[in-house]
Structures are given as C-alpha cells and as structure tokens.
C-alpha cells in the first residue's frame, strides 16, 4: 500500500535532481542576466562553427559589439538600470538576428555574434547595421530613459584559413575599436588585405 507514495517521492526527487542539473548547466554556460551564451560557451560554439564553415565551405562572420554611452547610464541611474539596458538590448539583438545566429555576452556591455552563411562583406555590414539599429529606440527605465548606441567590429571567417577563436575575436575587437574612433554608432570590417581595419 505504501509503494505508490514511495515511487511518487522518488519521481519527484529525480525531477528535482534533473532540474538542479539543468540549472547548474544553465549557470555554467549562459549569462544569467541576458540569457545569452557566456564567454566560455561562446568560444566553444565558435570553434564548432568554424568546423562547419570549413566542412561546408560557407564563409561566416564574427561580430564584436560594444555599447556606446552605457557607462553614463550606470553612473546616472545606477547598476540596476544598467542591467535593464543590457537585458533589453540583448532581447532586441536576439530579435534582429536569424534563428541560427549565435549571440554571446563576453562581459560588461560587450557582446559577440557568430553568423554563419554570410557570403560577403556587404551582407556582414548589413547585419552589423541591423544590430546598430536595435539601439535607436531609447530604453525606458523605472525612473528615466536611457539613450545608448552601439559600435560593431566585424571579421569575416574564411573557410580556407584555420584561425584560433581568440585571433578572430581579437580582429573583430580591433575593428570595433576603429568603429569607436570613427565616431561610434557605426560598424567596421577587418580587412585582410591591409591587415588593418577599414
């Protein structure tokens, strides 16, 4: 007679453990605030993406995204407001990209995006501009409005070149820095020809 409750308790305990395990995996791989892949998972998924790029000979692009004016939001409204901005921007970016594109938060107000099947520079720039457009609408906060922008650096991933994930991110980061110098709110692409961003 006591068998059913014991089985019930066992099932509940098993479900609880499964949920706990899922939660640990979630915490280990995803940014708690934005739900984006965290740095560790993003690097791992870029590695896997590179393998697909080589296997299918389809170029891809890596985007390095940095918010403009984010520090002022934190300074003026506090970190809670900053968190709201990060959440909202991540949500907008997620909506702007394709289903298979991978968005990661590298830390602070820096994000990265891996977009596969990007045939050329023009397509990459169009996607970069689409990302920038996500910050055109101000973000409504509890006690004010945050106006921010976005600078984007892009590096194209060549199927014929085996580059390290760190090397690719460094190039995209340097291109992003060029975008900042160019007046922010723009995107710049790393150029292989001159070995410098253009």
């Amino acid at each position: 007679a006591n068998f059913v409750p014991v089985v019930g308790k066992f099932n509940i305990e098993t479900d609880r453990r499964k949920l706990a395990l899922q939660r640990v995996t979630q915490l280990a791989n995803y940014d708690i605030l934005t739900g984006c892949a965290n740095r560790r998972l993003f690097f791992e998924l870029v590695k896997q993406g590179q393998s697909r790029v080589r296997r299918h000979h389809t170029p891809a692009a890596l985007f390095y995204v940095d918010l403009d004016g984010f520090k002022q939001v934190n300074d003026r409204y506090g970190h809670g407001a900053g968190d709201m901005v990060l959440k909202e921007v991540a949500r907008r970016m997620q909506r702007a990209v394709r289903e298979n594109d991978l968005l990661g938060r590298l830390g602070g107000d820096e994000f990265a995006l891996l977009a596969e099947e990007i045939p050329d520079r023009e397509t990459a720039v169009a996607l970069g501009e689409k990302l920038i457009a996500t910050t055109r609408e101000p973000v409504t906060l509890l006690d004010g409005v945050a106006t921010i922008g976005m600078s984007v650096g892009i590096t194209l991933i060549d199927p014929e070149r085996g580059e390290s994930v760190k090397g690719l991110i460094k190039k995209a980061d340097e291109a992003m820095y060029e975008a900042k110098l160019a007046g922010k709110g723009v995107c710049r692409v790393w150029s292989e020809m001159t070995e410098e961003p253009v």
Side-chain angles (χ1 to χ4, degrees):
N2 289 340
F3 183 65
V4 174
V6 170
V7 168
K9 273 185 189 160
F10 177 76
N11 286 342
I12 289 167
E13 194 51 40
T14 305
D15 288 346
R16 243 188 229 141
R17 285 206 179 135
K18 267 189 203 156
L19 282 171
L21 196 61
Q22 279 171 0
R23 186 85 187 111
V24 168
T25 307
Q26 181 79 11
L27 290 172
N29 292 312
Y30 292 91
D31 174 52
I32 301 165
L33 185 66
T34 62
C36 297
N38 65 15
R39 175 181 276 270
R40 199 179 64 80
L41 178 63
F42 186 78
F43 272 58
E44 190 48 50
L45 293 173
V46 169
K47 238 183 238 169
Q48 293 171 20
Q50 278 180 294
S51 302
R52 285 191 297 276
V53 162
R54 277 198 293 274
R55 212 169 38 247
H56 304 301
H57 295 283
T58 51
L62 186 68
F63 297 73
Y64 199 107
V65 174
D66 187 78
L67 301 186
D68 302 323
F70 181 73
K71 187 184 179 306
Q72 290 87 319
V73 173
N74 266 347
D75 292 349
R76 186 170 174 195
Y77 297 106
H79 290 285
D83 286 354
M84 279 177 77
V85 168
L86 291 172
K87 265 173 142 158
E88 176 59 17
V89 168
R91 198 180 62 77
R92 290 180 189 181
M93 282 198 286
Q94 207 74 65
R95 282 208 324 245
V97 300
R98 302 166 303 179
E99 209 181 329
N100 294 343
D101 294 340
L102 171 72
L103 188 63
R105 182 179 173 210
L106 301 184
D109 61 337
E110 296 181 344
F111 293 85
L113 175 76
L114 173 67
E116 294 182 42
E117 292 175 32
I118 296 285
D120 50 38
R121 182 194 169 101
E122 288 67 36
T123 309
V125 169
L127 183 51
E129 283 170 356
K130 198 175 175 189
L131 287 174
I132 290 167
T134 63
T135 57
R136 293 230 168 89
E137 286 294 309
V139 179
T140 306
L141 305 169
L142 296 173
D143 53 356
V145 172
T147 307
I148 52 156
M150 184 185 284
S151 296
V152 178
I154 305 168
T155 188
L156 301 173
I157 303 174
D158 183 345
E160 307 308 317
R161 284 181 71 164
E163 288 187 82
S164 73
V165 175
K166 270 191 176 152
L168 288 169
I169 287 193
K170 185 173 182 284
K171 283 181 177 180
D173 182 24
E174 286 177 19
M176 183 277 295
Y177 184 69
E178 287 295 321
K180 289 254 186 225
L181 293 178
K184 304 178 179 176
V186 292
C187 56
R188 288 289 178 263
V189 183
W190 178 271
S191 166
E192 294 297 352
M193 298 301 291
T194 55
E195 283 299 314
E196 65 182 34
V198 292

